Amino acid sequence: MTQPNLPLTGACLCGAVQLHVTAFPLLTLACHCRDCQKLAASAYSLTVMFPAEAVTATGELVLGGKHSEERKHYYCPTCLSFLLSRLKAAPERVNLRASLLDDLTWFTPFVEIMTEEKQPWAQVPTTHSYARFPTTAEELAELMADYAKTIAPPPPPSPGTGPA
């Protein structure tokens, strides 16, 4: 995997909502649940998890989709693009729809979830796969730590190894 160039920018389909991200992703995912299949009109949705304080959305956001007190899905009211999700249990994170970002050359899903609902023909090149979800906060933290290693900036050159 490659490292994204910060800041990341993006927008909804019509451009009424602009996105600005100032931190590296915490995790990249493909979700195969039937709800995501319907929301994304595809076999799965692609998500980038970011620290909440690093994501700014300029423009109006409205609640939509199959949301609840536990999970809020936000959309552009003009073009109805599915933008992001926030979980009550994890207010420190935002799940952004990857396809909204202007540059996805760095993106590869690291984890696939809800494979028990996966379309039989859908193949996603991930490192980790779950029938449902990671089951503990510790397991999620380990996934995020493993993912961070894949996008970490390269170490500075050692003395004597750089250009002369």
Side-chain angles (χ1 to χ4, degrees):
M1 287 181 213
T2 60
Q3 183 180 38
N5 293 317
L6 296 179
L8 293 168
T9 58
C12 64
L13 182 61
C14 73
V17 177
Q18 297 290 312
L19 301 163
H20 186 82
V21 183
T22 58
F24 290 119
L26 299 170
L27 202 56
T28 57
L29 304 102
C31 180
H32 296 279
C33 79
R34 289 292 295 143
D35 288 345
C36 279
Q37 290 176 30
K38 291 176 182 183
L39 285 169
S42 184
Y44 48 84
S45 68
L46 296 175
T47 298
V48 187
M49 185 185 296
F50 290 105
E53 70 276 359
V55 178
T56 304
T58 306
E60 183 181 0
L61 300 178
V62 295
L63 276 173
K66 188 177 176 181
H67 64 274
S68 66
E69 276 303 308
E70 303 303 313
R71 181 181 312 262
K72 306 268 188 215
H73 300 299
Y74 293 91
Y75 292 76
C76 168
T78 305
C79 66
L80 303 178
S81 292
F82 180 24
L83 302 166
L84 56 92
S85 300
R86 295 182 185 272
L87 306 178
K88 185 176 182 179
E92 70 281 5
R93 298 188 301 262
V94 169
N95 294 331
L96 185 69
R97 304 289 75 79
S99 59
L100 300 173
L101 295 171
D102 295 330
D103 176 22
L104 283 177
T105 57
W106 58 271
F107 180 88
T108 301
F110 190 70
V111 179
E112 66 179 339
I113 58 174
M114 296 301 294
T115 60
E116 68 184 21
E117 296 181 18
K118 182 178 182 174
Q119 295 299 321
W121 50 265
Q123 299 299 316
V124 181
T126 60
T127 304
H128 300 277
S129 184
Y130 292 87
R132 294 198 53 78
F133 304 103
T135 55
T136 65
E138 293 79 18
E139 190 174 16
L140 181 59
E142 287 176 20
L143 284 170
M144 289 190 288
D146 285 349
Y147 178 73
K149 293 174 194 171
T150 71
I151 63 164
S158 300
T161 61

